Structure formats: C-alpha cells, structure tokens
Amino acid sequence: MIAAASDVFWNGGAACGKRLAVTCTGATNQGVPQPCTGRSVTVKIVDYCPAGCRGTIDLSQEAFAAIANPDAGKILVEYHEFIHDKLCSFAGSKIKIRMA
C-alpha cells in the first residue's frame, strides 16, 4: 500500500518513507455520490506526485480500492501520520485524493 506526495506534502523529499492512515470521508463529484467503503488504509509515501496533483496525494490503485470505489477517481479523505509507529492526528487533515 503506497502513495505519492504532492509539493504540499513532499517537502523536498522529507515525506518519503512516512506512513499515513487514510480514510475516505466523501465524494468530490456527482459520478459516485457515496464512494467510501468505511475502511481505512495505511500507506507509505514512496514517490513524488506528478504535475497536476496540487494539494493531494496519489494512492496506489490497491490502496484507493480499499477505502473507496475506484470509479470515483478523486475523493475527500482524512489522514493521520504515524510517528515512531504511533498514530498522530493533525488539524486540517481533510484533503482531496486521487488514484494513481
């Protein structure tokens, strides 16, 4: 379960290797109005997100499908970062996410 980080998260490569617990919180479009599966997934940031993914992270297809209907393409999520194998919460952690 992997993901790529955009400029917002990448921080010159400092995000590489970080683990995030990601949960779908809702739809971003009318195509799939209720995409969430109700599950969470833990992903590891392993790459820099390509141009066009400003303010988001790209989940691998496997990770995206675990938390949402892949037909949604983009979803709203809440995420929490693991620090030293402990789950930490951050304010303002609702972002748009897309499937890579």
Side-chain angles (χ1 to χ4, degrees):
M1 301 289 194
I2 58 173
S6 70
D7 286 328
V8 173
F9 301 103
W10 188 243
N11 193 20
C16 194
K18 289 189 177 191
R19 294 186 318 130
L20 304 175
V22 183
T23 305
C24 175
T25 60
T28 61
N29 60 57
Q30 298 301 317
V32 182
Q34 297 178 341
C36 303
T37 65
R39 297 175 52 206
S40 293
V41 66
T42 299
V43 297
K44 184 176 184 177
I45 302 295
V46 297
D47 200 1
Y48 177 70
C49 193
C53 99
R54 288 165 266 146
T56 64
I57 59 175
D58 275 355
L59 294 177
S60 64
Q61 290 181 355
E62 180 183 15
F64 192 100
I67 64 169
N69 180 336
D71 292 338
K74 282 188 177 184
I75 54 173
L76 297 175
V77 301
E78 184 172 288
Y79 73 95
H80 305 281
E81 183 178 348
F82 285 89
I83 298 177
H84 305 295
D85 291 326
K86 293 182 181 175
L87 189 60
C88 301
S89 296
F90 294 96
S93 60
K94 291 188 178 182
I95 59 171
K96 289 181 183 175
I97 219 165
R98 70 181 185 137
M99 181 173 53

